[in-house]
Amino acid sequence: MLGLGGFTSLITKVNVSLWGSEVLIECVYNPEERLPYMLTFKDCRDISWTVHDEEAVGEPEAEFFGITLGESEHRKPAVITTDIFEISILYGSFRIHKGKNLNSENLETEVLVSQAPAIL
């Protein structure tokens, strides 16, 4: 559904801003080529965070195990699971940004994902 194929993804940064109403999750797809993409959740109402591996919290990257998008407009939270943590976000809207020079200030390519529930 994310259009990334079957390679591994890594989460490199989670940025919570605007007093918790926006969450940007920076990722790379295919660790050998390191193709960047970003998951953007806006109009967030609730964020829950659980650390699974306390010994790995200093690691620079977390292996992306899966995502359930839930439902937008605050109906069901998205749940993102990694080898280190799990985060649940009750959100208003969700977007995926992909591009070679991608960062939070330069969202090169934006892909709107269907609002239907999805599991990766």
Side-chain angles (χ1 to χ4, degrees):
M1 187 196 83
L2 298 178
L4 297 171
F7 287 103
T8 298
S9 283
L10 302 172
I11 293 179
T12 58
K13 183 177 181 181
V14 177
N15 185 15
V16 178
S17 60
L18 302 174
W19 303 111
S21 68
E22 184 173 274
V23 178
L24 303 174
I25 301 174
E26 295 181 23
C27 307
V28 293
Y29 170 68
N30 187 353
E32 291 181 19
E33 290 187 41
R34 301 197 64 84
L35 304 170
Y37 67 99
M38 185 179 303
L39 309 176
T40 304
F41 297 90
K42 294 194 176 197
D43 190 22
C44 300
R45 302 275 171 88
D46 185 65
I47 303 167
S48 298
W49 192 290
T50 304
V51 175
H52 296 297
D53 187 351
E54 293 177 25
E55 293 178 12
V57 295
E59 296 295 321
E61 299 172 332
E63 187 174 347
F64 198 141
F65 286 161
I67 182 172
T68 303
L69 287 179
E71 294 180 27
S72 64
E73 302 303 324
H74 313 105
R75 291 186 297 254
K76 287 186 181 177
V79 178
I80 298 170
T81 306
T82 75
D83 60 335
I84 300 173
F85 67 90
E86 182 173 276
I87 187 170
S88 172
I89 305 166
L90 190 62
Y91 64 96
S93 65
F94 168 77
R95 293 217 180 336
I96 298 173
H97 307 275
K98 296 190 275 186
K100 290 188 178 189
N101 298 318
L102 186 65
N103 61 48
S104 57
E105 290 81 34
N106 176 27
L107 301 178
E108 184 178 300
T109 303
E110 184 173 300
V111 178
L112 176 61
V113 175
S114 166
Q115 299 301 328
I119 299 173
L120 292 181

